[in-house]
Amino acid sequence: MDVPKGFPYPNIPPDNLPTANRINLGKKLFFDPILSRDSSKSCNSCHHTDKKFTDGLALSIGIDGNLTLRNSMTILNTAYQPYFFWDGGAPTLEQQTLAPIENPLEMDFDVNLVVERLIQHSEYPELFQKAYDLPPSPYTLVRAISNYERSLFTKKSRYDEYLYDNNTSALTASEINGMTIFFGEQGECFHCHGEYNFTDYSFKNNGLYLSYADSGRARITTNSSDVGKFKVPSLRNVEHTAPYMHDGSRATLEDVIEHYNTGGQPHPNKSGLIQPLNLTPQEKIDLVNFLKSLSDKE
Amino acid sequence: MKKALLRSGLIILSTFGVLFTSCKDDDDTEPTPASTEQNLTFHIHTNVGATSVVYGTNYAHTDGRTFNLSDLRYYISNIVLIKQDNSELPISGKVLLVNPSENEYSLGKVPVGSYKGFRFYLGLDSATNHTDPTTYTSENLFPIQTPSIHWSWNSGYIFMKIEGLVDTSLAGNGNVNFPFFYHVGLDQNTKTIDFTNEAFTVASGSDKEIGLEFDLLSTLTNVDMRTENATHTMDNMPLATKIADNWTISFEIE
């Protein structure tokens, strides 16, 4: 696996170690609408390769034109995610894979019926046999897709060149200024969006609303102290993954910076790190420029 | 006193046994040794009131409101038998997925003897509840069922799934056409159904069947199906909790 520079080798379940046959099978399944009830939607429908595996929509559109509940997250660097979905409801990637298939707003299908289709298929049984030495089953189905998804990493950005290649000219003066705000006590962004993947994977209420239509993490834990908390997303390629937030309610990076600059709504669960930043117009531009330096170069 | 009576009963029984075997002395066959284990089965009736559930049939709730069912299944697990000396015999690894069209649920072989009672979970223990369902083989009831009785968005099992149609007209005199669903799960909703004072005996030579009756009307006690007609548990905890609390009054020995 082509792990980017500065990234650790990910933890991979021993029963689903990567092989070329597994990755290729998972890739074929990822792009195949056979997974959805009416064969209209594939994983790729909401995770486009040309949008860094997001879909550019505030809320994704599932089967029959249904509006789903949340914004599509990138699946790049998913090998590092300790749990899945905005609310962490799935503890493993393999278990996550079941949800879009079963969700009535997404693929609205039955995993057992997907497996029946795969068993009848002219190519899949042989591909499963090659990959797992087993026929298509819910077990091998979710493992193959997960195996492919774990092989998807972000690529080198100009920020990485600056950091790892000691290329001081990789970033502009504005981007460097934005970086200083980002990693300093002025912006405080790095507390949650830190380290190689620009996330600590914690659940945070960032003061988006006073009252949340989507309770977020509380939907899983039922704790009122988790209302409005969502998993901190990675910022790599953030330039290409608009719109932003769990509900896609912020259209541009400028809108996002403006939200954090105001300090957000005074929700009782709001993270103490979210406070008014008092950024100048130039500092806001610098921050946005820095975020854009996190994009894959190729 | 009870114990003493039991003991004398056993003596009488064994005396008859001796007499019986002595009759067979003529032929040379050895007496069949008394079995030490017998099969234990739960014979479960899943009812609405006194009526066995048939999907699509109209039933009346206790308030007279009409509804029918298209799905009613529930997990029973962690079955424990209580022996005379109060020690416990867990029926390890045995999980039942009960549906109305099936009555017989084998628990496997258990030692012959007198038991003080038994108990079980309606629901699953936390570890079982959150295991990846695709890792289970088809030899048990945990692989994903069709229709599903497992949540993938908050990985865990639905302990009891109740779906059907209900008449939601204000006066309860309209059509039975509004889809309702009660999907109740989540670790904290697992309930112990306690029959630890329902003594039974597993006698040598004959398999034992314990009759149980589940009454959906008890599970829907104080549930107003007109207004309370949907819960995936997390999105309507008060209703899910009410239903789960009612599980403890929904079972009777037949």
Side-chain angles (χ1 to χ4, degrees):
Chain A
M1 293 223 292
D2 204 7
V3 176
K5 195 169 185 178
F7 285 41
Y9 196 84
N11 287 321
I12 296 177
D15 72 346
N16 200 16
L17 296 176
T19 66
N21 284 336
R22 291 174 177 186
I23 291 172
N24 290 336
L25 170 60
K27 185 173 185 178
K28 185 174 168 65
L29 290 163
F30 187 90
F31 288 91
D32 194 336
I34 196 170
L35 302 179
S36 58
R37 171 176 41 81
D38 62 359
S39 300
S40 67
K41 291 277 171 186
S42 68
C43 307
N44 172 245
S45 300
C46 299
H47 299 287
H48 302 189
T49 44
D50 63 350
K51 291 191 174 65
K52 299 296 176 188
F53 290 92
T54 66
D55 62 6
L57 301 170
L59 302 174
S60 297
I61 307 231
I63 202 165
D64 299 332
N66 285 317
L67 210 54
T68 64
L69 301 178
R70 290 173 181 161
N71 181 259
S72 168
M73 296 177 109
T74 180
I75 52 169
L76 294 172
N77 297 338
T78 209
Y80 300 100
Q81 294 280 344
Y83 26 69
F84 298 83
F85 302 127
W86 282 98
D87 57 23
T92 67
L93 185 54
E94 280 74 5
Q95 290 181 72
Q96 181 280 330
T97 306
L98 293 168
I101 297 172
E102 295 182 338
N103 189 324
L105 299 175
E106 297 182 40
M107 295 179 177
D108 191 32
F109 208 29
D110 177 317
V111 172
N112 294 322
L113 300 181
V114 174
V115 167
E116 273 182 30
R117 282 184 185 175
L118 295 171
I119 288 171
Q120 301 299 324
H121 195 271
S122 59
E123 298 163 54
Y124 277 118
E126 191 189 340
L127 296 174
F128 274 86
Q129 209 63 41
K130 274 186 186 165
Y132 290 96
D133 208 14
L134 290 167
S137 69
Y139 178 88
T140 48
L141 168 65
V142 301
R143 269 155 191 78
I145 295 173
S146 302
N147 208 290
Y148 166 62
E149 291 181 343
R150 282 199 187 91
S151 75
L152 301 172
F153 294 95
T154 52
K155 297 194 166 67
K156 186 184 274 187
S157 66
R158 287 190 293 110
Y159 165 78
D160 296 314
E161 288 187 330
Y162 180 91
L163 186 68
Y164 297 113
D165 300 344
N166 296 315
N167 179 359
T168 49
S169 61
L171 297 183
T172 66
S174 169
E175 287 163 352
I176 290 172
N177 193 38
M179 180 171 69
T180 307
I181 297 167
F182 187 95
F183 286 107
E185 296 306 314
Q186 191 183 359
E188 311 254 31
C189 314
F190 72 100
H191 292 290
C192 302
H193 293 288
E195 297 195 56
Y196 58 91
N197 200 24
F198 287 85
T199 171
D200 66 356
Y201 309 104
S202 64
F203 299 101
K204 290 287 192 304
N205 178 317
N206 66 357
L208 209 53
Y209 300 110
L210 259 184
S211 172
Y212 281 81
D214 180 342
S215 65
R217 180 66 179 157
R219 187 172 179 238
I220 303 304
T221 65
T222 72
N223 295 331
S224 59
S225 61
D226 285 331
V227 169
K229 290 185 181 175
F230 294 87
K231 189 170 62 178
V232 174
S234 171
L235 299 184
R236 285 190 174 270
N237 294 311
V238 71
E239 176 185 10
H240 303 293
T241 61
Y244 305 102
M245 308 298 179
H246 70 277
D247 56 359
S249 60
R250 298 297 185 273
T252 65
L253 285 176
E254 285 77 9
D255 295 341
V256 173
I257 298 298
E258 196 50 48
H259 165 73
Y260 287 113
N261 193 45
T262 63
Q265 303 283 337
H267 190 279
N269 294 338
K270 189 184 81 167
S271 164
L273 292 162
I274 312 289
Q275 299 293 337
L277 300 176
N278 303 311
L279 298 171
T280 65
Q282 183 57 48
E283 286 170 332
K284 292 181 200 172
I285 292 168
D286 293 344
L287 256 182
V288 169
N289 285 340
F290 170 65
L291 292 175
K292 290 180 177 173
S293 79
L294 305 178
S295 298
D296 296 353
K297 278 190 72 186
E298 29 170 321
Chain B
M1 186 62 182
K2 213 172 178 182
K3 257 187 184 165
L5 275 175
L6 267 174
R7 201 169 296 143
S8 54
L10 282 173
I11 291 164
I12 291 163
L13 270 174
S14 45
T15 314
F16 277 122
V18 169
L19 286 172
F20 182 71
T21 47
S22 57
C23 293
K24 297 185 88 182
D25 274 356
D26 292 353
D27 53 23
D28 252 1
T29 52
E30 287 290 313
T32 314
S35 66
T36 55
E37 286 190 324
Q38 294 293 150
N39 285 319
L40 180 62
T41 301
F42 276 173
H43 186 96
I44 305 176
H45 286 129
T46 299
N47 293 349
V48 173
T51 314
S52 282
V53 167
V54 175
Y55 293 157
T57 305
N58 280 352
Y59 301 107
H61 195 7
T62 44
D63 60 6
R65 190 164 294 280
T66 309
F67 68 96
N68 63 47
L69 295 161
S70 55
D71 198 348
L72 171 56
R73 287 173 294 162
Y74 46 95
Y75 277 105
I76 285 177
S77 70
N78 287 264
I79 303 160
V80 175
L81 310 185
I82 317 295
K83 294 179 176 174
Q84 279 302 329
D85 62 0
N86 286 324
S87 66
E88 300 191 345
L89 177 70
I91 311 291
S92 299
K94 194 74 195 174
V95 174
L96 318 178
L97 177 54
V98 182
N99 77 76
S101 62
E102 247 176 87
N103 299 127
E104 302 291 325
Y105 299 88
S106 171
L107 307 186
K109 289 210 182 294
V110 300
V112 163
S114 297
Y115 293 86
K116 281 189 163 176
F118 62 100
R119 62 168 192 268
F120 56 83
Y121 283 174
L122 193 307
L124 300 167
D125 59 80
S126 181
T128 307
N129 194 21
H130 300 296
T131 301
D132 179 349
T134 67
T135 59
Y136 289 109
T137 61
S138 56
E139 283 139 36
N140 58 43
L141 295 156
F142 293 127
I144 294 169
Q145 306 290 312
T146 299
S148 179
I149 186 163
H150 178 271
W151 289 310
S152 44
W153 55 274
N154 178 13
S155 202
Y157 289 83
I158 299 170
F159 300 156
M160 183 177 288
K161 186 173 183 180
I162 313 168
E163 287 185 358
L165 300 171
V166 62
D167 168 12
T168 50
S169 65
L170 196 59
N173 56 0
N175 293 323
V176 185
N177 59 6
F178 190 87
F180 72 92
F181 61 90
Y182 306 125
H183 296 182
V184 183
L186 210 60
D187 289 350
Q188 62 255 43
N189 286 325
T190 288
K191 299 292 172 191
T192 298
I193 310 300
D194 189 298
F195 289 115
T196 48
N197 291 316
E198 292 287 344
F200 65 96
T201 302
V202 179
S204 180
S206 72
D207 290 338
K208 174 66 183 175
E209 195 170 271
I210 295 176
L212 284 170
E213 184 192 307
F214 168 81
D215 180 8
L216 182 66
L217 292 185
S218 300
T219 284
L220 298 180
T221 301
N222 294 324
V223 174
D224 179 352
M225 296 180 78
R226 189 178 74 83
T227 54
E228 298 174 299
N229 44 46
T231 180
H232 293 106
T233 302
M234 270 63 62
D235 61 355
N236 189 346
M237 277 296 276
L239 178 54
T241 306
K242 190 195 288 191
I243 289 169
D245 286 345
N246 285 338
W247 289 340
T248 57
I249 56 162
S250 297
F251 287 88
E252 278 184 13
I253 300 280
E254 272 186 333

